[in-house]
Amino acid sequence: GTKLILGLTGILALSYLALRPSEREELARVMYAEAANQPRVVRRLVGETVINREKSGKYPSTIRAVIHQDNAFSSVGRRLWNQTALPAWIGYSGNMNSAERKIYNECLEDTGALMAGENVGLTGEKRIEAFYSGKKPSGRYWENMQTLYSDGKMSFCARRK
């Protein structure tokens, strides 16, 4: 038979992989971190944005890589993201109140539907690849974007046809 010999580096690498959250969990975390204080449809649109980017061929090809792309999501790298992205997030959630846990659980539930291709219900939603809060950002990238949905707080955009 074949023997598998792991040095300390191999053991540490396997430990890290075992602790890394799944892409589904990371998607739920970015939905929560970006829009926990927004209606559920907005949280779902954050998830839709990530999935659309992953499938577009213009962004990284995995959900994890899309989420962690430099400057892609304002919450990644901030305190809230770091707390909700801990491998033992459930342990941290003991500090969350029941309303916050409910919102996170809804995000986690919605990721399954979104990853299975379920629509949120908006025309053009599969084209959404960016969102912003407040005033529309300036710059070349944003000049080519049209708003498909806005609730007055967050706006979701797709490239102009």
Side-chain angles (χ1 to χ4, degrees), residues 26 29-30 67 75-85:
E26 288 218 32
R29 290 171 183 161
V30 79
I67 290 169
S75 64
V76 176
R78 290 190 178 168
R79 183 174 174 266
L80 177 61
W81 174 264
N82 290 334
Q83 287 174 333
T84 58

Side-chain angles (χ1 to χ4, degrees), residues 53-137:
R53 286 182 178 188
E54 176 211 16
K55 292 179 178 179
S56 74
K58 300 173 193 161
Y59 295 87
S61 61
T62 67
I63 289 172
R64 180 174 286 114
V66 167
I67 290 169
H68 292 282
Q69 187 177 23
D70 287 345
N71 302 312
F73 297 95
S74 63
S75 64
V76 176
R78 290 190 178 168
R79 183 174 174 266
L80 177 61
W81 174 264
N82 290 334
Q83 287 174 333
T84 58
L86 289 172
W89 187 85
I90 297 304
Y92 167 75
S93 69
N95 297 325
M96 308 274 289
N97 65 40
S98 61
E100 292 166 329
R101 272 196 297 274
K102 178 182 182 287
I103 290 168
Y104 177 77
N105 287 336
E106 286 175 352
C107 290
L108 191 57
E109 179 183 312
D110 289 342
T111 60
L114 290 168
M115 292 173 87
E118 184 179 299
N119 291 334
V120 174
L122 300 172
T123 302
E125 70 184 84
K126 297 299 182 193
R127 294 179 36 239
I128 292 173
E129 65 177 78
F131 62 89
Y132 61 91
S133 180
K135 184 180 175 192
K136 187 174 184 178

Side-chain angles (χ1 to χ4, degrees), residues 5-89:
I5 300 173
L6 291 174
L8 182 58
T9 304
I11 291 169
L12 291 174
L14 285 175
S15 298
Y16 172 74
L17 289 174
L19 293 176
R20 283 178 63 184
S22 70
E23 287 199 326
R24 182 174 178 213
E25 291 167 321
E26 288 218 32
L27 183 57
R29 290 171 183 161
V30 79
M31 290 164 62
Y32 179 87
E34 292 286 336
N37 64 344
Q38 301 295 319
R40 192 171 187 175
V41 67
V42 171
R43 295 191 301 268
R44 285 185 65 133
L45 286 170
V46 169
E48 186 77 65
T49 301
V50 173
I51 290 170
N52 292 348
R53 286 182 178 188
E54 176 211 16
K55 292 179 178 179
S56 74
K58 300 173 193 161
Y59 295 87
S61 61
T62 67
I63 289 172
R64 180 174 286 114
V66 167
I67 290 169
H68 292 282
Q69 187 177 23
D70 287 345
N71 302 312
F73 297 95
S74 63
S75 64
V76 176
R78 290 190 178 168
R79 183 174 174 266
L80 177 61
W81 174 264
N82 290 334
Q83 287 174 333
T84 58
L86 289 172
W89 187 85

